[in-house]
Amino acid sequence: MSRRREGEIAVGHDAFLDIVANLVGILIILVVVLGAQSHSVISSAMTESEAKVDPDLIPASEGDLDELATMAVRAASAQTDAKRLEKTIKSLDAKIARQSERRTVLLALLKEAEDVLEQEQASLDADRRAIAKAEAEAETLRRQLKELDDTEQELASRRPQTIEIENLPTPMAKTVFGKEVYFRLKGNRLSVIPFEELAEEIGRDFRRTSGSSREGVSDSAVGPVRGFVARYVMNRSNELVTDGNKVARMTRARVMVASFEPLREPHGDPIDQVLASDNWLDIELAGHSPETSTITVAVYPDSYGAFRKLREKFYAKGYATAARPIKDGNPIYVNFSGGGSRSAAQ
């Protein structure tokens, strides 16, 4: 770009100098023509004045004198024009000399710029060659890396698949007799079963209705507490009892079985969110010491995999954990008549 601009400057100066030279040539031709005419007029006038007067010649008339005066004026004007042209020529010569010096300086600068441009071009070519060489080496390395990746994939496809099995220390199962914390795990959602609160609600409702003398089996429901309701079955029977020599009739009422289930599904927090942070479990387990409390989880078939991860979390916190598998579609039953079994914690 720089070379092109400097070339345009040099061409412009050359054209200007050509125009100036043409003007100078025209002026010189005019000066020569005017000088020749004036010299001819002056010479003829001097020759006529120096010639002998011929007695036969007729004296000049006023018209001749006027014509001679006009010719003299023209000659003087021609000399003035010649001097003016000479002055103009000298001025143009001076301008031409200055322009020539300037042109010489510009040519020198142009030559220096061309030399610098050639050096930069050579350096740029060297850099380009280095870049091209580096790109070729990089392409070779990429090709080798791709070959290594292909080889690795081929070897990996030949290698037998490794199955990772996580294993916890072998636990010792023991029957739970202490305080239990109940959880429900269904649809990979974990929730706390408010068993104690619902049991207290069942007790209050039982005491309120157990005074009836009607025999037979009846059911009732309490709740909701934390989204859970409890439905229980109560059996009333009239029995004869003896007290010494006296026989009396007494109504006996007892809760046979109760079921616990949420009001609506899905219920609980996603297990991934629970396992991602300890905050949820720490809040729910607050006040329950690992030494005196056992965790019982009612697990549905769609959440067995999630239960294993949850048990690992409880194990890390030091809690013994028991699992109660529940069939799909069934609520969580608790047998109050004594026919059930206690949880076995590990």
Side-chain angles (χ1 to χ4, degrees):
M1 186 71 183
S2 178
R3 183 189 295 270
R4 180 180 178 183
R5 186 176 296 175
E6 293 172 355
E8 291 176 355
I9 294 173
V11 172
H13 286 298
D14 291 340
F16 176 75
L17 294 177
D18 292 339
I19 294 171
V20 172
N22 291 332
L23 291 175
V24 171
I26 293 170
L27 292 176
I28 291 174
I29 293 172
L30 291 175
V31 170
V32 172
V33 172
L34 292 175
Q37 290 180 357
S38 62
H39 181 69
S40 175
V41 173
I42 295 171
S43 298
S44 62
M46 292 178 63
T47 302
E48 291 177 357
S49 64
E50 291 178 357
K52 294 180 180 181
V53 178
D54 189 353
D56 295 332
L57 294 176
I58 300 173
S61 62
E62 291 183 1
D64 294 335
L65 293 175
D66 292 337
E67 184 179 357
L68 180 61
T70 300
M71 295 179 66
V73 169
R74 289 179 179 176
S77 177
Q79 288 182 350
T80 302
D81 292 338
K83 290 181 180 178
R84 182 173 57 79
L85 289 174
E86 289 180 358
K87 185 177 180 181
T88 302
I89 290 171
K90 290 181 180 180
S91 176
L92 292 175
D93 289 338
K95 289 183 179 180
I96 291 172
R98 290 195 297 272
Q99 292 295 336
S100 179
E101 292 178 357
R102 185 178 179 184
R103 181 174 180 274
T104 303
V105 172
L106 290 176
L107 289 175
L109 293 176
L110 179 60
K111 183 64 171 62
E112 183 178 356
E114 289 177 350
D115 294 339
V116 173
L117 180 61
E118 290 178 357
Q119 294 177 1
E120 293 293 334
Q121 188 69 29
S123 176
L124 182 61
D125 292 341
D127 293 340
R128 287 177 178 174
R129 288 193 295 271
I131 292 174
K133 183 179 179 181
E135 288 179 351
E137 293 178 353
E139 182 63 26
T140 301
L141 292 176
R142 283 193 291 268
R143 186 170 58 255
Q144 293 177 357
L145 181 60
K146 185 177 183 305
E147 292 176 356
L148 291 175
D149 290 339
D150 295 340
T151 304
E152 183 181 3
Q153 292 178 2
E154 182 179 359
L155 293 176
S157 62
R158 295 178 181 177
R159 185 172 54 193
Q161 184 179 2
T162 302
I163 301 175
E164 181 180 359
I165 300 176
E166 296 182 1
N167 185 34
L168 296 176
T170 302
M172 297 296 293
K174 59 182 180 179
T175 303
V176 175
F177 291 99
K179 188 175 182 181
E180 288 186 77
V181 183
Y182 294 89
F183 289 88
R184 176 180 183 264
L185 185 57
K186 181 180 181 181
N188 291 324
R189 288 178 174 269
L190 184 67
S191 59
V192 177
I193 304 174
F195 180 78
E196 294 183 357
E197 292 87 341
L198 288 174
E200 292 176 359
E201 291 287 335
I202 291 174
R204 285 192 289 269
D205 189 67
F206 173 76
R207 287 189 293 272
R208 181 177 59 83
T209 60
S210 61
S212 175
S213 60
R214 188 179 61 183
E215 292 185 304
V217 177
S218 62
D219 60 352
S220 182
V222 296
V225 177
R226 298 189 66 173
F228 279 86
V229 294
R231 296 179 173 86
Y232 68 95
V233 176
M234 180 174 59
N235 183 28
R236 296 187 184 88
S237 61
N238 295 324
E239 299 178 359
L240 295 176
V241 295
T242 58
D243 183 11
N245 296 325
K246 296 180 180 181
V247 178
R249 182 180 294 274
M250 182 184 68
T251 301
R252 176 178 292 180
R254 59 179 176 174
V255 177
M256 304 298 294
V257 66
S259 64
F260 299 84
E261 58 184 341
L263 281 173
R264 60 182 60 89
E265 297 286 1
H267 182 74
D269 295 310
I271 190 64
D272 292 336
Q273 296 181 9
V274 174
L275 298 178
S277 174
D278 291 340
N279 295 336
W280 194 92
L281 291 177
D282 290 342
I283 292 173
E284 298 297 341
L285 295 176
H288 301 282
S289 173
E291 289 78 13
T292 59
S293 301
T294 301
I295 295 174
T296 299
V297 183
V299 188
Y300 285 82
D302 59 359
S303 302
Y304 287 156
F307 171 72
R308 179 177 177 82
K309 298 178 181 179
L310 181 64
R311 186 179 62 178
E312 292 175 359
K313 179 71 75 171
F314 286 140
Y315 179 84
K317 293 180 177 294
Y319 287 92
T321 306
R324 282 194 173 273
I326 307 296
K327 292 182 179 181
D328 282 331
N330 289 350
I332 302 168
Y333 289 104
V334 176
N335 193 340
F336 288 90
S337 62
S341 61
R342 291 185 173 272
S343 300
Q346 296 179 342

